[in-house]
């Protein structure tokens, strides 16, 4: 189906793009378009105007700056998947990237788009929650930093204002023995998450979990953090029985829906397994460092 | 909206509504019906073309976004009547039945070959996972890709 008519702008740089957003109504940012265009075609979303920022090449990068890893919001998922310089510190980034949709979609889809679409089945929100990332939002008025915990407001909604563009994601470089992982069960066609779990944890000298964060994909109306599960893991070595208990708490705090893809009960069962697998893999990596 | 790009080596200048998708413009304005609309939901990949050397789903890109780019479609592979090694491989290994997914399979294969990597079968399956086929069960498609690798290597060494 064709989208409803819209005006289209293709700014050459960030400044131009931000100008276009000032005072605009019903205007959406177009990046890779791999979530937005399908929604427009189905008429699930509509816009009076699209501001295409794909020519703002200065927002495509993966780099290290001191103790921060910085991801440009227009970096494609494919580029993130291929990155060997910075991303190896965070296996979770490559693991999540390579499981998103398919290679063709990843060639155009962007990190920023995946985060800003904020559909509960998008994978990167849970990853950024686990990594305690900071989203950098720019508008004509200046720059605002938003912690991942406050960025994802509701299904399909972030805390960005209509005049803001997500330009960069800052990930604190882990100190000490840290491990991270993303585990997902996906629908065959399209690669949508039936459920996904992102975890990032650090271990102390005795091999007990010192810090951890767990994000869950497709586990509720928006991306969720499993805070009760995190608390139960702290100070413990993740034995099988500890993992079972932690996973049960995560599932308890989830609110998965039943839809054409999977039932609520199935999602809960899958989440339980994925929590154990993700934490197990993160722990193994942390202990190996 | 005026949009300028190159398709299969030729310059194109069109006035299209921003909401038109690249696949529709290729098919309807340019008569390049090799890119197929199989699903309209970004799943099947029958619409795969190369934009600036990268394989993408043309049903999920606006035609106006093609401005300034270099596009390669299935029609652009054969040179002076001689099929490209990828196309010859698909013929040789019978990599199609109804043919609807085939242009997409071939364009993605072409893109994969251009990366000069050696993938094993599991990786080939992953790389082709954006292209769906309802007829073949994929076995002959994978064999066609592997044959295409051989043919491409042969062509290189005989140049």
């Amino acid at each position: 189906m064709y989208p409803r008519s819209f005006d289209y702008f293709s700014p050459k740089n960030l400044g131009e793009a931000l100008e276009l957003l000032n005072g605009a109504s019903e205007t959406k940012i177009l990046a890779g378009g791999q979530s937005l265009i399908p929604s427009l075609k189905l008429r699930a979303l509509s816009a009076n105007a699209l501001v295409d920022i794909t020519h703002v090449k200065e927002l495509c990068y993966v780099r290290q700056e001191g103790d921060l890893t910085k991801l440009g919001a227009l970096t494609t998922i494919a580029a993130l998947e291929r990155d060997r310089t910075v991303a190896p510190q965070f296996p979770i980034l490559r693991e999540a990237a390579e499981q998103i949709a398919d290679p063709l979609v990843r060639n155009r889809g962007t990190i920023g788009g995946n985060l800003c679409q904020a559909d509960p089945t998008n994978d990167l929100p849970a990853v950024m929650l686990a990594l305690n990332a900071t989203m950098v939002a720019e508008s004509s008025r200046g720059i605002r930093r938003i912690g991942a915990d406050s960025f994802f407001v509701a299904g399909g909604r972030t805390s960005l204002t209509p005049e803001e563009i997500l330009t960069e994601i800052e990930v604190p470089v882990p100190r000490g023995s840290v491990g991270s992982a993303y585990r997902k069960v996906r629908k065959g066609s399209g690669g949508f998450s039936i459920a996904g779990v992102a975890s990032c944890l650090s271990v102390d000298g005795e091999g007990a979990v010192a810090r951890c964060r767990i994000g869950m994909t497709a586990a509720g109306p928006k991306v969720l953090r499993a805070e009760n599960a995190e608390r139960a893991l702290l100070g413990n070595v993740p034995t099988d029985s500890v993992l079972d208990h932690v996973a049960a708490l995560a599932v308890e705090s989830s609110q998965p829906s039943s839809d054409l893809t999977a039932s609520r009960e199935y999602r809960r069962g899958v989440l339980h397994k994925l929590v154990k697998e993700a934490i197990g893999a993160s722990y193994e990596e942390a202990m190996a460092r | 909206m005026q949009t300028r790009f190159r398709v299969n080596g030729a310059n194109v200048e069109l006035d299209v509504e921003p909401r038109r998708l690249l696949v529709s413009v290729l098919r309807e304005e340019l008569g390049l019906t090799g890119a197929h609309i199989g699903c309209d939901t970004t799943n099947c990949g029958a619409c795969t073309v190369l934009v600036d050397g990268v394989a993408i789903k043309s049903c999920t890109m606006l035609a106006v976004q093609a401005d300034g780019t270099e596009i390669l479609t299935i029609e652009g592979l054969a040179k002076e009547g001689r099929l490209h090694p990828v196309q010859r491989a698909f013929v040789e290994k019978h990599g199609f039945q109804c043919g609807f997914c085939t242009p997409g399979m071939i364009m993605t294969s072409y893109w994969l070959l251009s990366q000069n990597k050696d993938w094993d079968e599991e990786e080939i399956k992953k790389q082709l996972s954006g292209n769906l086929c309802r007829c073949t069960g994929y076995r002959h498609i994978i064999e066609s890709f592997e044959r295409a690798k051989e043919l491409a290597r042969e062509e290189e060494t005989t140049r």
Side-chain angles (χ1 to χ4, degrees):
Chain A
M1 210 161 49
Y2 282 121
R4 229 192 68 206
S5 285
F6 46 77
D7 290 327
Y8 171 88
F9 304 97
S10 181
K12 300 285 174 294
N13 55 58
L14 185 59
E16 261 183 60
L18 294 176
E19 259 308 301
L20 285 163
L21 291 181
N22 286 338
S25 77
E26 296 287 323
T27 297
K28 289 196 165 30
I29 302 289
L30 174 64
Q34 302 301 285
S35 292
L36 182 59
I37 292 177
S39 294
L40 291 172
K41 285 164 72 176
L42 288 172
R43 303 211 175 186
L45 285 178
S46 70
N48 287 346
L50 294 189
V51 174
D52 182 353
I53 58 172
T54 53
H55 295 289
V56 184
K57 295 283 182 232
E58 65 248 37
L59 294 181
C60 302
Y61 54 86
V62 177
R63 60 175 177 242
Q64 195 91 331
E65 262 177 42
D67 59 358
L68 284 177
T69 292
K70 297 189 171 189
L71 309 172
L74 282 182
T75 305
T76 63
I77 309 293
L80 181 63
E81 190 187 346
R82 278 193 308 263
D83 180 76
R84 290 291 175 267
T85 57
V86 159
Q89 284 178 57
F90 310 95
I92 190 177
L93 285 175
R94 188 184 37 79
E95 281 167 11
E98 69 190 9
Q99 294 183 82
I100 291 175
D102 60 63
L104 305 177
V105 169
R106 298 200 286 271
N107 278 340
R108 279 191 76 77
T110 62
I111 297 176
N114 197 275
L115 292 173
C116 293
Q117 184 77 7
D119 189 274
T121 59
N122 283 126
D123 299 290
L124 295 185
V127 172
M128 297 311 167
L129 280 185
L131 291 174
N132 201 12
T134 301
M135 319 304 169
V136 179
E138 290 193 44
S139 69
S140 303
R141 276 191 298 267
I143 298 181
R144 192 163 70 102
R145 281 182 164 69
I146 309 164
D149 285 335
S150 0
F151 188 75
F152 306 103
V153 168
R157 200 153 55 90
T158 67
S159 54
L160 292 176
T161 69
E163 275 112 12
E164 283 176 323
I165 294 179
L166 173 67
T167 54
E168 183 180 82
I169 298 90
E170 291 174 346
V171 182
V173 172
R175 235 160 301 193
S177 306
V178 174
S180 62
Y182 191 69
R183 292 290 181 271
K184 165 179 172 176
V185 167
R186 33 184 277 158
K187 192 174 173 196
S189 164
F192 289 105
S193 276
I194 288 172
V197 174
S199 74
C200 184
L201 56 83
S202 67
V203 297
D204 63 23
E206 270 87 61
V209 173
R211 279 188 326 271
C212 71
R213 290 172 67 97
I214 303 169
M216 300 191 290
T217 300
K222 64 163 189 163
V223 65
L224 296 178
R225 240 184 91 192
E227 290 178 88
N228 289 343
E230 291 170 3
R231 274 189 284 272
L233 188 54
L234 292 178
N236 291 315
V237 172
T239 60
D240 200 57
S241 62
V242 166
L243 284 177
D244 260 319
H245 177 55
V246 167
L249 286 171
V251 170
E252 222 175 85
S253 67
S254 70
Q255 311 145 47
S257 56
S258 287
D259 57 25
L260 287 176
T261 302
S263 71
R264 179 174 298 124
E265 293 68 34
Y266 183 70
R267 284 199 157 101
R268 285 206 179 102
V270 170
L271 271 172
H272 188 99
K273 278 206 66 185
L274 294 180
V275 167
K276 294 179 68 172
E277 282 178 27
I279 296 175
S282 305
Y283 184 74
E284 238 181 79
E285 196 217 327
M287 290 300 283
R289 282 195 192 258
Chain B
M1 178 157 217
Q2 283 299 114
T3 305
R4 282 179 203 85
F5 49 93
R6 284 168 64 80
V7 181
N8 300 333
N11 289 324
V12 163
E13 187 169 333
L14 294 169
D15 186 8
V16 292
E17 276 186 75
R19 64 178 174 147
R20 295 288 298 290
L21 301 165
L22 179 61
V23 66
S24 307
V25 168
L26 288 172
R27 292 176 57 82
E28 294 166 33
E29 263 71 8
L30 301 177
L32 297 168
T33 53
H36 298 151
I37 298 175
C39 68
D40 220 16
T41 53
T42 315
N43 281 353
C44 78
C47 63
T48 305
V49 301
L50 268 65
V51 175
D52 288 339
V54 177
I56 58 98
K57 296 184 176 184
S58 60
C59 73
T60 313
M61 182 171 164
L62 303 176
V64 291
Q65 290 187 289
D67 191 69
T69 66
E70 187 94 40
I71 296 179
L72 183 67
T73 72
I74 187 81
E75 290 90 347
L77 289 192
K79 290 275 180 289
E80 286 148 18
R82 181 167 163 73
L83 293 180
H84 187 276
V86 180
Q87 291 171 303
R88 275 184 276 129
F90 270 74
V91 170
E92 212 183 289
K93 289 298 183 180
H94 197 50
F96 53 87
Q97 288 180 26
C98 80
F100 201 76
C101 75
T102 311
M105 289 292 178
I106 289 177
M107 295 316 290
T108 300
S109 299
Y110 177 97
W111 170 62
L112 293 174
L113 279 184
S114 75
Q115 292 175 56
N116 283 319
K117 286 199 196 130
D118 220 4
W119 284 292
D120 62 24
E121 186 171 302
E122 279 314 300
E123 284 162 331
I124 293 171
K125 288 178 186 174
K126 283 188 189 159
Q127 294 299 321
L128 287 172
S129 65
N131 295 91
L132 303 180
C133 173
R134 302 294 282 133
C135 296
T136 65
Y138 301 100
R139 172 80 353 234
H140 286 180
I141 291 171
I142 294 165
E143 288 173 10
S144 298
F145 177 75
E146 287 174 331
R147 181 64 182 140
K149 270 199 309 188
E150 277 171 25
L151 287 176
R153 224 173 286 137
E154 275 170 33
E155 293 237 335
E156 283 218 1
T157 53
T158 56
R159 216 175 284 151

